[in-house]
Amino acid sequence: MTWRLRCASPEDAPAVAMVAAASFLTTFAGILDGADIVAHVAKNSSADRFAAWAADAASVVTLAEHPDGAAPIGYTLLTTPDLPLSIDAGDIELRRIYTLPVAYGTGLGPALIARAFDDARAMGRTRMLLGVYGGNDRARRFYERQGFTVAGRRQYQVGATLHDDFIYARPL
């Protein structure tokens, strides 16, 4: 499968929000409480939030589209870091990277992260940070294959439950 990656505009926000909701549900169903998933997505992945990020010069939203019909199948979000670490001016956070199951095993994940590295360098950034749920071994292995190392920990609240996350860093 060959997908198309492109910088999302504010007009793409509903498509990105749809992928965000579907991918978060796919990733965390059976791990997190269903009502907590719905509330978390409504609060953190609305079309309005993605439109604001897409319009923000300090952020980059990349949308992945299926080759047949251009349906949205993945995305990344680079933005100003909001992590409990010492942050430098050269830092950027990969706040989100998700693909839908239709793209699993196609190389879309590595292509999205390579694009994020390129976009971050183009912004003059020198280090990429990200937070990942500690129990998401699949994601943690992916980030480690991409050269990320653990730089810290945090607790992240979804619904009424605090979850232990790892914070990863990678020089660019």
Side-chain angles (χ1 to χ4, degrees):
M1 175 187 304
T2 303
W3 1 260
R4 180 175 130 180
L5 302 182
R6 64 179 179 83
C7 186
S9 71
E11 291 76 26
D12 293 311
V16 180
M18 182 175 63
V19 174
S23 58
F24 196 84
L25 177 62
T26 298
T27 302
F28 294 108
I31 297 170
L32 303 177
D33 179 76
D36 288 347
I37 291 171
V38 171
H40 181 81
V41 168
K43 177 183 174 191
N44 296 295
S45 296
S46 69
D48 288 343
R49 297 264 336 239
F50 281 107
W53 280 314
D56 181 1
S59 299
V60 175
V61 180
T62 297
L63 180 62
E65 296 174 324
H66 195 281
D68 299 324
I73 59 171
Y75 75 101
T76 60
L77 167 62
L78 290 171
T79 195
T80 304
D82 182 21
L83 296 164
L85 288 178
S86 177
I87 304 297
D88 293 327
D91 291 343
I92 193 156
E93 181 181 351
L94 179 61
R95 179 100 28 108
R96 312 265 179 81
I97 178 171
Y98 283 103
T99 64
L100 294 178
V102 69
Y104 290 178
T106 68
L108 179 56
L112 278 167
I113 205 158
R115 170 76 178 255
F117 293 153
D118 290 345
D119 288 341
R121 287 186 198 105
M123 297 169 75
R125 305 307 179 127
T126 57
R127 183 172 74 155
M128 187 173 288
L129 306 169
L130 62 87
V132 61
Y133 171 58
N136 191 341
D137 294 334
R138 180 175 177 258
R140 292 184 57 219
R141 284 190 305 272
F142 172 77
Y143 298 132
E144 290 166 6
R145 282 192 308 270
Q146 303 306 315
F148 286 90
T149 58
V150 174
R153 293 179 182 238
R154 71 172 175 190
Q155 287 199 311
Y156 189 80
Q157 189 157 358
V158 178
T161 307
L162 284 175
H163 299 275
D164 294 318
D165 284 4
F166 288 95
I167 300 171
Y168 279 84
R170 181 192 188 278
L172 296 169

